Amino acid sequence: MTKTMTTPPHTANERSYADLGRLGVEPLWRYYRNLFPAEPHSLAVPFLWRYHELRPHLLHFAQALSLEEAERRVLMLVNPGMQDPPATVNSLYAGIQVVTPGETAQAHRHSAGAFRFVIEGEGAYTTVDGARLRMRPGDLLLTPGWSWHDHRHEGTGPMMWLDALDYPLVNALEAGFFETYDQRSQDIRAPRDLPASQYVHGRLVPAWDTERATASLVGNHTWEETRRAFDAIAHDAVGSDVDGIVLEYTDPWSGGPVMPTLSCRIQRLPPGFRGAARRRTPGTIHHVVSGRGTALVDGRTLDWRDKDVFAVPGWAWCELTNTSRTEDAFVFSYSNEPVLRALGLYRETLTERMG
């Protein structure tokens, strides 16, 4: 009688698993818990970039590198948890750019939406699709996806601004395109600061302009207009328990976010303000316009001051505090909230206080 050799079950399974891999398939039961986590867990970590530490390096490279060597002199704010590819939080990027007097930046366009929030300097402007927009501290200048844009500095002293793009999201969707303009700078086709000056009057918008763009037609939200809006709000206004007196930059036609993928907000934290803790699915990047305070993010304290930038990962608890007893703090922020809301994936939870 001949014995039939049988393969132990575990050996047979391993051989079958190896065969599956060669066929381009994998068993769901081995990955199920990773594919459907109980709640989000971001690769990004809470992190603070101190402007006074970065500024000397920006000035050094502005002098040490020619435009031929570095067309855009930008220090990318790379989150320690998101280094390859580099990002600041999931799906969003921030960097700080410097331009010196007499310099220009090559005109180009890309699929990714972008904007600049001016940190310091005078005398520069950016041109977006033929419209020249002045750049002054506190200004928010929009560059919607696939818009031609370039920069020129005609003033004195360095210009520095926060660069913000959604290219991590666009590239993840494999939808990124890039093109260089056929000359270094665009021809100016519209009066200075037009159409921004036509769309800064609340809900009163030009009735003759029937075009409905996918992004806001206000190219430059000036700090002058922003500060005027805050000044019109009484200091005893209730505001938000989380964000204080918080305003959102909006599309004048729809009242929605300034871009399909980016929500931009600015908040005034009154002296001594301590916000309730919140966690949200969008990751958020904050830039301190002025003031001092702390952000308690998932138990980690980030002590911020004028012009610093800090990252709050998605679904991380965050509590903001203005540590001054006499001065307001102004904080600008942006997130990919419009994307998550459009996809039905936005969620937030609140708690009265952390720890």
Side-chain angles (χ1 to χ4, degrees):
M1 183 175 181
T2 303
K3 287 186 177 181
T4 302
M5 301 296 294
T6 59
T7 305
H10 68 276
T11 304
N13 284 344
E14 292 304 320
R15 185 178 300 159
S16 296
Y17 287 137
D19 290 340
L20 291 178
R22 287 191 289 271
L23 294 172
V25 296
E26 292 292 343
L28 174 63
W29 57 88
R30 282 192 160 187
Y31 296 87
Y32 191 77
R33 292 185 181 275
N34 293 330
L35 295 176
F36 300 96
E39 63 180 31
H41 179 73
S42 179
L43 294 176
V45 299
F47 200 79
L48 173 73
W49 292 268
R50 299 192 182 280
Y51 183 73
H52 75 276
E53 295 177 348
L54 301 180
R55 189 176 186 275
H57 294 285
L58 284 160
L59 295 176
H60 166 75
F61 286 112
Q63 297 299 320
L65 296 177
S66 67
L67 290 176
E68 289 72 23
E69 294 173 297
E71 178 63 43
R72 254 70 169 178
R73 299 191 194 91
V74 181
L75 293 183
M76 300 190 298
L77 306 186
V78 181
N79 194 289
M82 307 199 71
Q83 297 186 355
D84 187 20
T88 309
V89 295
N90 183 40
S91 80
L92 294 176
Y93 157 90
I96 299 178
Q97 181 167 176
V98 59
V99 178
T100 59
E103 290 185 342
T104 60
Q106 171 65 49
H108 65 216
R109 62 181 178 178
H110 38 67
S111 302
F115 66 77
R116 297 143 231 305
F117 193 93
V118 183
I119 300 174
E120 66 171 275
E122 295 282 351
Y125 62 83
T126 185
T127 302
V128 181
D129 283 342
R132 178 182 293 185
L133 305 173
R134 288 174 294 179
M135 308 179 79
R136 291 159 296 191
D139 288 2
L140 169 66
L141 297 99
L142 304 180
T143 307
W146 211 236
S147 297
W148 293 112
H149 55 284
D150 59 80
H151 316 299
R152 180 182 295 272
H153 189 2
E154 296 179 342
T156 60
M159 284 291 304
M160 298 192 193
W161 61 76
L162 180 76
D163 268 336
L165 295 97
D166 61 5
Y167 78 74
L169 172 65
V170 173
N171 290 350
L173 295 173
E174 298 180 353
F177 294 87
F178 179 91
E179 186 177 356
T180 301
Y181 200 62
D182 58 7
Q183 56 192 47
R184 186 162 183 83
S185 301
Q186 300 172 67
D187 295 327
I188 305 302
R189 303 197 308 271
R192 178 174 290 187
D193 296 329
L194 189 76
S197 60
Q198 298 180 152
Y199 288 89
V200 294
H201 309 291
R203 296 302 299 157
L204 295 173
V205 297
W208 65 84
D209 190 348
T210 58
E211 179 182 357
R212 300 295 186 269
T214 58
S216 173
L217 292 174
V218 180
N220 186 359
H221 294 264
T222 68
W223 180 249
E224 180 183 9
E225 291 290 340
T226 303
R227 191 57 196 255
R228 185 177 296 127
F230 277 119
D231 289 344
I233 299 172
H235 275 267
D236 58 356
V238 176
S240 162
D241 290 341
V242 174
D243 296 312
I245 308 301
V246 59
L247 305 177
E248 180 165 2
Y249 300 87
T250 60
D251 176 355
W253 278 115
S254 69
V258 291
M259 292 190 199
T261 55
L262 294 170
S263 172
C264 297
R265 292 175 179 162
I266 189 159
Q267 59 198 115
R268 182 179 77 202
L269 305 180
F273 176 85
R274 183 188 176 194
R278 174 183 63 193
R279 58 178 176 176
R280 313 189 308 151
T281 41
T284 308
I285 298 169
H286 298 256
H287 166 66
V288 182
V289 181
S290 63
R292 291 174 177 265
T294 63
L296 182 59
V297 187
D298 271 353
R300 179 176 178 180
T301 300
L302 306 177
D303 293 303
W304 45 262
R305 54 181 287 187
D306 288 2
K307 302 177 176 60
D308 288 348
V309 179
F310 59 94
V312 177
W315 209 238
W317 286 108
C318 179
E319 179 184 297
L320 297 178
T321 300
N322 179 358
T323 54
S324 172
R325 295 293 175 182
T326 58
E327 300 293 331
D328 288 331
F330 291 91
V331 181
F332 170 82
S333 64
Y334 64 102
S335 75
N336 60 356
E337 180 178 331
V339 177
L340 295 178
R341 286 193 180 277
L343 297 175
L345 298 175
Y346 181 86
R347 184 181 294 192
E348 69 175 52
T349 59
L350 301 173
T351 186
E352 292 184 359
R353 288 285 181 260
M354 288 182 65

